[in-house]
Amino acid sequence: MREYTGVTVSEGLVMGPVRRIDRGVSGLGRLIHDRSKERALFDAAVVLAKDELRSLMEQADGEERDILRFQLVMLDDQALLTEIGNYIAAGAGSAAATERAGQIFARRIRDLPDEYLCQRGADVLDACSRVVEILDGKPRQKLVLDQPMILAAESILPSDIISIDRGMVLGIVTSKGSAQSHAAIVARTMGIPALIQLGEEFLSHCDGHQAVLDAREGRLILDPDTALQKEVLLKREAMARKKARLAGLREKPCVTLDGTRLFLQANCSEPGGIEQAVAEGAEGIGLLRTEFLLMKGSIPDEEEQYYFYRSCLAAAQGRPVTVRTFDVGADKLVEGLMLPEKNPALGLRGVRFCLDRTDLFQDQLCALLRASTQGPMEIMFPMVGGVLDFRLAMDEVEKAKENLRMRGQPFDEDLKFGCMIEVPSAVICAPELAQAGAAFFSIGTNDLIQYTHAVDRMDSRLDRYYKADSLAIQRMIAMTVKAAKEAGIPVCVCGRAAANPQTAPLYAKLGVNILSMASQSLLDIKEVLLNTDLQEVVSRV
Ligand code: PEP
Ligand code: MG
């Protein structure tokens, strides 16, 4: 047995043979024609590659579709096409020119300071290798697996996963790779256990060996002995029993033993995630994060956003969707959009940024208002510090409504607007926020804990100061709930603590009505709450 440790990007426990994907070396024996013929070959290959991508897109949805669309866009990118054209004009063969320009382009993208964007380097390589394989006369090889396997590679390209029969992939492991990569995102959305950064040594030994991939504990064991194999089988059986048991809870309303009805909703950022949340029994989307729209390299205009929000509402199939307006700033930096700050967590973030960039805010509000006719929706502002922030944000809403009225575009006149409660000053002024018209509160404990305890949420050394159940946080929640009750409005918690089996019942005890969390946690938390008597939960306030 040989054990390797890595970083989990998608949880699960599987066992089976490992197959190493090796893209090999291409280019041997390539004939180079004259420049105009090479150029014509290249142009034709791009047309074929785009056709392939389009037909893959028809079978894909959600995040996979976005990835394929990005690759399609790359094959139209003038800068990339010019670079390839320049190599061909200088005498290189079209396949070699595409490989070379693709690598340089991918490296350039990877070097960008934006972590999201730099992952798109893999998509550039993926799109270019599709063209190269067509030029090399080996139409895109679809990975054909004759039995379920754990795939291993230095790093996996998104289309590797998208094009494989899901039933044949037990898991994915890479020697390098990043948790933010698209392949990692695809693995997560497809529910394939995945582990990254297992190292070079692992890659050279893994091919053809049996392995246990324990992507709950970040371990991969090559050549497991019989005792370990037995243990894994038992654990998998127990996990399957738990999954089947929890599946039975999907449609069940979440009512605690003492009769308190709670609403369990999901945190999402795109339509694919919403579909998954609905399948996991989410009663709505308590937090739709929108700032990722700004992190894709270009700022989407009103029209593009309108279609995005409509798609999100369609994916929610009539369940309520609470959209959070752009929450950039702090660790969510958008290159070219914001100035460096000495103390970004205390800087121009959340609604403060939107009130500074009202041009972007107006586009978002108009798009959201227009989409509001398409399904139940609410809007909330992040990082509201007090009544003035809420009033100024609502002034912007009025401007957007006026604009739409002038354009003759309909919107839901009764659309509700609420506040995220993430800063102690918002808790203290919660009664006034409700009086100012906030129709609901959504407590963002991730930030509320950070700002209440003055502890950087990004710094794991400070974990012992970062307490979701401290007396101070319990009081913060109780104060918010009291103000909400007096005003007759609901309170949600949408920070990570909502998915914690200890804090979820505690927050319910404190009077929170809705808990919104990652969809994978919904059924676990529902099970906990169904078996909880809130009268027996001890709060300190
Ligand atoms: C929060 O602060 O709890 C929250 C949900 O927002 P984010 O984690 O995106 O800052
Ligand atoms: Mg927050």
Side-chain angles (χ1 to χ4, degrees):
M1 293 208 295
R2 203 183 278 221
E3 182 170 330
Y4 299 88
T5 50
V7 175
T8 297
V9 293
S10 176
E11 287 203 1
L13 172 66
V14 288
M15 184 163 61
V18 181
R19 157 96 175 262
R20 179 177 173 174
I21 308 176
D22 204 343
R23 289 193 185 78
V25 191
S26 55
L28 296 175
R30 275 179 191 154
L31 265 182
I32 301 183
H33 307 276
D34 66 48
R35 285 164 209 193
S36 58
K37 191 161 180 203
E38 285 295 333
R39 178 69 217 203
L41 284 170
F42 170 72
D43 289 340
V46 169
V47 171
L48 285 177
K50 289 205 291 198
D51 280 351
E52 281 183 13
L53 285 169
R54 278 191 208 98
S55 72
L56 278 173
M57 264 176 80
E58 276 164 25
Q59 300 148 28
D61 48 33
E63 196 76 40
E64 298 159 32
R65 226 176 129 76
D66 288 348
I67 290 168
L68 294 165
R69 190 180 296 113
F70 178 81
Q71 295 190 9
L72 207 52
V73 170
M74 279 323 298
L75 292 184
D76 268 330
D77 186 272
Q78 276 318 309
L80 178 65
L81 296 181
T82 307
E83 196 139 339
I84 296 171
N86 288 344
Y87 286 126
I88 296 176
S94 48
T98 310
E99 270 170 358
R100 176 121 189 253
Q103 275 158 9
I104 293 173
F105 223 75
R107 200 174 313 129
R108 237 180 257 156
I109 292 188
R110 274 198 214 114
D111 288 345
L112 291 174
D114 179 325
E115 190 171 1
Y116 174 85
L117 206 55
C118 74
Q119 298 307 331
R120 300 226 113 149
D123 289 320
V124 177
L125 285 179
D126 207 1
C128 286
S129 66
R130 188 176 294 281
V131 176
V132 169
E133 287 184 7
I134 292 169
L135 286 166
D136 278 344
K138 13 175 206 176
R140 187 76 176 169
Q141 274 174 13
K142 197 175 156 168
L143 249 178
V144 184
L145 304 175
D146 49 9
Q147 60 167 309
M149 297 203 167
I150 297 170
L151 297 183
E154 185 177 290
S155 59
I156 303 251
L157 294 175
S159 66
D160 288 332
I161 309 179
I162 294 168
S163 60
I164 308 171
D165 176 359
R166 163 70 187 93
M168 289 295 181
V169 189
L170 291 173
I172 292 171
V173 288
T174 62
S175 58
K176 294 183 178 166
S178 144
Q180 309 302 326
S181 73
H182 273 134
I185 294 168
V186 174
R188 265 198 299 272
T189 39
M190 291 175 85
I192 302 174
L195 212 55
I196 58 168
Q197 296 171 15
L198 285 161
E200 285 307 309
E201 219 257 329
F202 154 76
L203 203 56
S204 51
H205 283 98
C206 66
D207 199 29
H209 288 254
Q210 283 292 318
V212 167
L213 166 58
D214 189 347
R216 300 161 316 153
E217 296 186 3
R219 299 187 307 154
L220 183 131
I221 300 113
L222 279 186
D223 306 318
D225 61 17
T226 338
L228 179 59
Q229 290 185 26
K230 264 195 197 145
E231 191 188 316
V232 170
L233 288 177
L234 288 175
K235 273 193 194 156
R236 278 185 54 82
E237 275 168 27
M239 283 162 68
R241 277 197 301 275
K242 183 173 180 204
K243 199 168 172 202
R245 194 185 69 231
L246 291 181
L249 302 181
R250 248 178 236 152
E251 308 303 325
K252 214 173 166 156
C254 184
V255 182
T256 56
L257 290 176
D258 56 296
T260 308
R261 172 76 161 98
L262 287 147
F263 292 87
L264 300 190
Q265 301 190 342
N267 296 351
C268 298
S269 55
E270 43 80 41
I274 295 179
E275 275 166 27
Q276 197 187 332
V278 168
E280 295 288 336
E283 294 182 270
I285 306 306
L287 166 60
L288 177 67
R289 295 185 151 97
T290 61
E291 48 280 4
F292 297 112
L293 290 171
L294 301 180
M295 299 181 185
K296 297 192 174 184
S298 63
I299 309 288
D301 61 12
E302 179 189 317
E303 209 56 21
E304 205 177 319
Q305 287 188 55
Y306 167 65
Y307 284 110
F308 174 81
Y309 302 134
R310 274 189 67 166
S311 312
C312 289
L313 289 173
Q317 298 164 45
R319 290 163 185 77
V321 176
T322 305
V323 185
R324 173 172 79 181
T325 54
F326 298 138
D327 184 23
V328 291
D331 57 318
K332 289 182 264 188
L333 289 177
V334 183
E335 190 62 19
L337 209 58
M338 28 215 339
L339 297 170
E341 293 174 301
K342 264 201 177 143
N343 208 339
L346 303 182
L348 203 63
R349 60 168 299 200
V351 76
R352 302 172 185 178
F353 170 84
C354 288
L355 292 174
D356 186 60
R357 286 296 305 266
T358 49
D359 53 333
L360 297 178
F361 200 24
Q362 278 301 314
D363 278 353
Q364 180 173 41
L365 290 172
C366 285
L368 283 169
L369 282 163
R370 284 170 57 195
S372 67
T373 58
Q374 305 293 318
M377 182 205 262
E378 292 176 336
I379 295 176
M380 62 183 178
F381 307 117
M383 277 292 287
V384 168
V387 175
L388 185 59
D389 279 344
F390 183 70
R391 289 228 165 92
L392 291 173
M394 289 308 290
D395 288 348
E396 290 300 317
V397 170
E398 278 316 309
K399 276 187 213 154
K401 285 185 176 175
E402 207 40 53
N403 184 353
L404 293 180
R405 282 188 198 109
M406 270 167 39
R407 291 197 237 152
Q409 284 174 309
F411 58 87
D412 175 5
E413 295 277 355
D414 300 322
L415 188 61
K416 291 195 168 89
F417 291 83
C419 285
M420 284 202 72
I421 303 289
E422 303 179 278
V423 199
S425 60
V427 176
I428 293 163
C429 298
E432 286 75 12
L433 283 168
Q435 260 167 30
F440 60 92
F441 292 144
S442 185
I443 305 178
T445 42
N446 303 344
D447 276 315
L448 188 60
I449 300 167
Q450 150 163 282
Y451 294 124
T452 302
H453 288 289
V455 23
D456 182 350
R457 62 189 262 189
M458 308 294 291
D459 189 341
S460 59
R461 293 172 312 165
L462 301 174
D463 279 356
R464 71 192 171 98
Y465 298 104
Y466 191 92
K467 292 278 171 254
D469 60 352
S470 68
L471 175 61
I473 293 300
Q474 291 192 37
R475 283 205 179 132
M476 290 282 172
I477 292 175
M479 284 166 75
T480 309
V481 167
K482 182 167 181 282
K485 281 212 170 118
E486 281 167 9
I489 62 175
V491 180
C492 170
V493 170
C494 63
R496 269 200 309 274
N500 177 315
Q502 270 80 48
T503 38
L506 175 63
Y507 294 173
K509 167 84 176 188
L510 292 170
V512 165
N513 316 99
I514 306 166
L515 294 166
S516 189
M517 62 199 79
S519 52
Q520 293 92 322
S521 301
L522 283 165
L523 293 176
D524 282 322
I525 293 300
K526 192 187 273 187
E527 189 182 43
V528 170
L529 291 169
L530 288 172
N531 292 305
T532 299
D533 183 341
L534 292 185
Q535 286 171 4
E536 286 170 12
V537 175
V538 183
S539 79
R540 292 162 72 193
V541 289

